Amino acid sequence: MKAKVKMDKKIQDTFNAIESIEEAKVSPFFKEKVMHQIRNASEDIQDKTWSWFTPQLQLATLICIIVLNVIAFNKLKTNTYDESVSSFADSYGLSTSTESTLLN
């Protein structure tokens, strides 16, 4: 029974605290200011995203690709295709011999 009395007192204290809360005075332009700040923040994020596609970055990427292609082309020139294929065939026993056999 005492628990119920204590609980009722706590409930009554809570209602009294709720009744003592006053209405907040808000500026009539508060919502407009907040919405304006939200719009500005989203525009800043979009600007940062598009900064990755600047002409300087595109030029740097193009130069890197050209340099890698030149290096690869020079490596390809040093190792001729025929030598590579014949060494591959010899190492795996896929080469055919042009020597005549005794049965021919």
Side-chain angles (χ1 to χ4, degrees), residues 60-79:
T61 305
L62 181 65
I63 289 171
C64 288
I65 290 173
I66 290 172
V67 167
L68 287 174
N69 282 335
V70 167
I71 292 171
F73 185 71
N74 286 337
K75 287 281 189 182
L76 185 65
K77 271 186 169 180
T78 58
N79 298 333

Side-chain angles (χ1 to χ4, degrees), residues 41-54:
S42 66
E43 288 173 2
D44 291 344
I45 291 171
Q46 289 176 352
D47 291 342
K48 289 178 184 176
T49 303
W50 287 108
S51 68
W52 281 94
F53 301 108
T54 61

Side-chain angles (χ1 to χ4, degrees), residues 22-34:
E22 296 179 9
E23 182 180 347
K25 306 289 190 262
V26 180
S27 169
F29 299 107
F30 178 73
K31 179 182 175 186
E32 292 298 320
K33 289 179 186 177
V34 170

